[in-house]
Amino acid sequence: MAVVFSHGLSSPLSSSSFLTASLQSSSLTRPPSNSVSVSAFTTPFRMELDNNERRRKFIEFPYVSSSHKKLMVDLVSMVETRLDSQLLPCTLPPDVQYYQNQSDTSHASLHIRSGHPSSPIDFILGSWIHCQLPTGGALNITSLSTYLKSSTDSPNFFMDIIRSSPTSLVLILDIPPRRDLALYPDYLKKYYEDTNLEAQRQVLEKVPEFKPYFSPSLYIRAFVSPTVITARIESDSVERMEEIIQDHVGVVAKQVLETWLDTCAVVENGDEVDENEREYLQKRDLLVRSKTIEIDLASSLPRLFGPETADRIITTIQKYSSASSS
């Protein structure tokens, strides 16, 4: 899952972090040759409309600024365009795709697509959360993450953007390793040195408003990569923040995602994981995902949306997280 770190902002979420995403087929009876079945023509069309409608609601990102929304839409489009033939449609029920609390102060959307059985993609997950703050203003979190099966040991991808005001931003962007880098120096070289990901962090460091951000969770710090970008950016105006997102954050985020799509999402001959190692990767992936859910959702989601809604969302995400296959 995408990891929204405990970010210390003035919000009800400052004491905990978020996983904001952050988680059948049917057969048609063949009609007689001399009859026309309306359902045989309309059902696939209706399903396609439903899938497109679900995606449209997710990519509205209705509570964020124009540059923030454009960035998220572009990133989602990059993933779904490149991987579309490897992905199944989103089949989340409506009350998981979009949900809110009873007081109408918190709203959220979740979008998950599983990979085809033959694909190295396990699933992709996107989300947004909007929460009105008691002190005024709002907290907005947008996330996109991708997860691979144990048939490959390539890194995953995640990005979170956290906004507590129109002039502040926390960015977490990474392709976290799925190997111990000290034990696998070739892995470090292939995915982090040869891809020159460190240069992307250095690009953002040149932005005058850039400040490094450190998660208070030592567990989170333990599984990110050496090239992870964790930044806090505060501007003196809304216009300047929009410029930073468009010209700096967006450029870097797209480059990191492009690197992941080119280097990690494509499994070439020789990249497949040995059968003996797949069990280890499956156990590791499951452990990391379970711990991330515990850190990100267990305390925060019930407080925002109530226990019943929180349980429904967490159960759905756990289903996808634990269904990893080789």
Side-chain angles (χ1 to χ4, degrees):
M1 283 90 255
V3 178
V4 177
F5 299 117
S6 174
H7 43 84
L9 302 173
S10 299
S11 78
L13 310 182
S14 61
S15 62
S16 62
S17 50
F18 252 74
L19 165 67
T20 61
S22 240
L23 313 136
Q24 123 180 205
S25 62
S26 61
S27 59
L28 298 175
T29 302
R30 180 181 296 273
S33 58
N34 60 347
S35 69
V36 177
S37 170
V38 175
S39 63
F41 289 98
T42 61
T43 300
F45 180 63
R46 180 68 258 169
M47 290 176 63
E48 182 177 351
L49 286 179
D50 289 344
N51 290 330
N52 289 336
E53 180 68 10
R54 289 191 182 111
R55 183 180 184 278
R56 186 188 66 79
K57 286 182 177 297
F58 161 63
I59 63 173
E60 282 178 351
F61 296 101
Y63 296 100
V64 299
S65 66
S66 58
S67 62
H68 187 164
K69 173 180 177 177
K70 184 178 185 306
L71 171 57
M72 294 306 301
V73 171
D74 287 350
L75 293 174
V76 172
S77 296
M78 284 176 65
V79 171
E80 294 196 323
T81 298
R82 287 282 294 273
L83 303 180
D84 186 65
S85 63
Q86 302 183 54
L87 298 173
L88 298 170
C90 177
T91 57
L92 296 177
D95 61 353
V96 173
Q97 173 83 39
Y98 174 81
Y99 53 100
Q100 64 188 72
N101 63 359
Q102 291 185 347
S103 60
D104 200 36
T105 57
S106 296
H107 300 252
S109 179
L110 182 65
H111 181 73
I112 302 178
R113 293 182 65 181
S114 296
H116 280 286
S118 61
S119 168
I121 309 300
D122 197 356
F123 64 96
I124 65 170
L125 185 153
S127 71
W128 56 258
I129 287 182
H130 169 79
C131 174
Q132 296 178 20
L133 302 177
T135 55
L139 177 70
N140 288 292
I141 306 172
T142 60
S143 304
L144 178 65
S145 52
T146 61
Y147 300 92
L148 298 171
K149 296 175 182 175
S150 60
S151 55
T152 173
D153 62 1
S154 298
N156 295 317
F157 169 89
F158 74 73
M159 188 192 78
D160 297 310
I161 296 179
I162 309 158
R163 309 282 301 276
S164 62
S165 79
T167 58
S168 69
L169 175 153
V170 170
L171 170 69
I172 302 98
L173 176 64
D174 195 23
I175 62 167
R178 296 165 67 212
R179 291 285 194 183
D180 186 327
L181 299 182
L183 299 179
Y184 294 88
D186 290 343
Y187 189 98
L188 175 67
K189 183 176 187 300
K190 176 179 180 179
Y191 294 113
Y192 302 102
E193 293 180 1
D194 292 350
T195 55
N196 202 24
L197 283 174
E198 181 69 7
Q200 301 306 317
R201 181 182 59 80
Q202 294 170 352
V203 168
L204 280 184
E205 284 183 338
K206 295 178 181 178
V207 177
E209 293 87 350
F210 174 94
K211 293 181 180 179
Y213 170 74
F214 301 99
S215 169
S217 169
L218 295 181
Y219 182 85
I220 297 301
R221 293 191 211 175
F223 79 78
V224 295
S225 79
T227 59
V228 63
I229 297 173
T230 55
R232 181 190 295 273
I233 300 174
E234 296 182 358
S235 66
D236 56 7
S237 68
V238 174
E239 292 75 17
R240 173 57 179 161
M241 180 56 73
E242 291 293 279
E243 178 185 331
I244 291 172
I245 295 174
Q246 177 178 313
D247 298 339
H248 303 287
V249 172
V251 172
V252 168
K254 290 176 185 179
Q255 184 56 57
V256 173
L257 178 57
E258 188 73 31
T259 298
W260 182 85
L261 288 168
D262 290 341
T263 310
C264 305
V266 178
V267 178
E268 301 176 348
N269 291 335
D271 285 347
E272 295 87 354
V273 172
D274 186 280
E275 286 288 348
N276 295 329
E277 295 183 299
R278 292 188 182 187
E279 184 178 356
Y280 164 78
L281 271 178
Q282 285 179 320
K283 289 181 178 179
R284 184 190 184 280
D285 288 344
L286 181 58
L287 178 62
V288 170
R289 295 174 188 183
S290 299
K291 187 65 176 179
T292 303
I293 290 175
E294 176 186 331
I295 293 173
D296 282 347
L297 287 178
S299 62
S300 300
L301 210 61
R303 287 189 291 137
L304 280 179
F305 296 97
E308 182 178 343
T309 298
D311 182 68
R312 182 171 68 248
I313 303 305
I314 292 173
T315 299
T316 298
I317 295 174
Q318 287 175 329
K319 180 185 73 172
Y320 282 88
S321 298
S322 61
S324 176
S325 62
S326 59

